[in-house]
Amino acid sequence: MRLLFSIGAVLVAGVLAGGDVASVAAPGPRPQPQRQAAADKDAQSVDVELILAVDVSYSMDMDELAIQREGYAQAIQSKEFLQALKLGPNGRIAVTYFEWAASSDQKIIIPWRVIDGPETADAVAAEIMKTPIRRASRTSISGAIGFAMPLFDENPYHGLRRVIDISGDGPNNNGGPVTVARDAALEKGVVINGLPIMVKEPSYSTMDIDNLDYYYEDCVVGGPGSFVIAIKDREKFKEAIRTKLLMEVAGKTPERPVTHVADKEPRVNCLIGEKIWQDRWGR
């Protein structure tokens, strides 16, 4: 069950001590630091702290990387996204966007930003689009999760929910086991959602696998209301990104939510990426 909380203002009643004429002429009420602190905390409250973790491994071609960038930028600026934003109790979210590949290769493109309307949405979208596209080797979903977790502690904003959104086109083949990283995040109340990209036929050269959506469901995502939206048609790439962001901002649960059960038998081997890499390169 998702835990929701809100932070209200703390009202402190001032007490004026009685006294002589001199005391009446004394300065006004003392400052109320508790009230100011509560107001500051309210100003930092958001509906969700959302981390967008985006795969830039070499298995992604340049066209896919460009569509992916455009998809996020356009989704953030869309009318539907801005409408969903205003339906939340705070009417704003905090978002950060980073790209990842190997376990030691993560690059923050957008540090934590608040989106509370068209102006801030446009600014974030412009920042996403102006950054040069890059590609890098290996695929470490576990590394992406491990990199994402401390970002929540560095975030000055306080969300009702904490979500890591991972997009990628292959299984974990570098760093620690993905299930270990996932379970550590779930223990801290973080929800992980997935966007497996399946627009190409699986290829030995790019270490793709069949049923990447099953892999994401069984090995990557988890937490209350977590979900996977698979992209199987290049033409629907941007639509899928927009749908995913709308659900995350609105806190919606999909019709078929992913239920993480610790002792559930996965449909795919959660170490399949590591096995393929070992078989291919012997290391």
Side-chain angles (χ1 to χ4, degrees):
M1 181 176 181
R2 185 182 299 119
L3 177 63
L4 299 179
F5 64 91
S6 60
I7 305 172
V10 179
L11 302 179
V12 180
V15 178
L16 298 178
D20 55 18
V21 175
S23 66
V24 174
R30 295 178 181 178
Q32 300 180 9
Q34 287 178 301
R35 178 181 294 175
Q36 183 61 49
D40 290 344
K41 205 166 187 180
D42 273 349
Q44 293 178 314
S45 295
V46 294
D47 296 321
V48 60
E49 297 172 52
L50 178 61
I51 295 178
L52 302 175
V54 180
D55 181 10
V56 292
S57 60
Y58 277 114
S59 56
M60 297 276 289
D61 62 44
M62 292 300 290
D63 186 43
E64 287 175 334
L65 293 173
I67 294 174
Q68 184 171 239
R69 281 277 189 89
E70 292 172 4
Y72 279 105
Q74 292 178 11
I76 288 170
Q77 292 176 295
S78 70
K79 178 180 66 175
E80 296 86 353
F81 177 86
L82 294 172
Q83 288 175 339
L85 191 70
K86 289 305 177 184
L87 293 177
N90 293 293
R92 57 185 179 268
I93 68 168
V95 62
T96 183
Y97 179 112
F98 74 86
E99 296 175 339
W100 58 272
S103 60
S104 59
D105 187 343
Q106 299 90 21
K107 180 181 179 182
I108 293 177
I109 305 301
I110 308 290
W112 284 109
R113 298 277 189 272
V114 167
I115 301 179
D116 56 5
E119 184 175 336
T120 48
D122 289 346
V124 169
E127 202 166 345
I128 291 174
M129 291 303 297
K130 76 178 183 182
T131 305
I133 293 175
R134 73 182 185 102
R135 300 168 76 194
S137 62
R138 304 298 295 267
T139 300
S140 182
I141 301 173
S142 60
I145 296 172
F147 181 81
M149 289 301 293
L151 297 181
F152 287 121
D153 296 329
E154 299 167 11
N155 181 15
Y157 304 99
H158 309 288
L160 307 182
R161 293 173 287 121
R162 287 181 163 185
V163 177
I164 300 174
D165 176 331
I166 297 179
S167 64
D169 71 340
N172 192 80
N173 63 37
N174 180 242
V178 66
T179 52
V180 173
R182 174 201 62 189
D183 293 347
L186 300 188
E187 287 177 3
K188 294 187 177 181
V190 171
V191 173
I192 302 176
N193 296 325
L195 187 78
I197 301 166
M198 307 168 65
V199 298
K200 295 180 296 195
E201 288 294 324
S203 168
Y204 177 80
S205 63
T206 55
M207 300 184 62
D208 299 329
I209 63 170
D210 292 316
N211 301 319
L212 183 63
D213 48 351
Y214 291 172
Y215 176 87
Y216 262 70
E217 289 185 3
D218 294 352
C219 310
V220 178
V221 309
S226 60
F227 62 85
V228 166
I229 296 180
I231 304 176
K232 299 183 180 181
D233 184 342
R234 191 180 293 261
E235 299 302 316
K236 295 183 178 179
F237 208 123
K238 296 179 181 179
E239 178 185 338
I241 291 174
R242 184 173 65 251
T243 298
K244 175 175 60 69
L245 286 181
L246 288 175
M247 292 176 65
E248 287 164 340
V249 169
K252 298 293 185 182
T253 301
E255 293 182 3
R256 189 176 68 87
V258 176
T259 302
H260 172 64
V261 180
D263 58 356
K264 180 179 68 174
E265 185 67 27
R267 290 164 290 182
V268 295
N269 180 359
C270 291
L271 294 174
I272 189 171
E274 290 86 344
K275 183 178 186 305
I276 293 173
W277 185 272
Q278 177 69 27
D279 290 346
R280 182 172 179 181
W281 298 105
R283 56 184 173 85

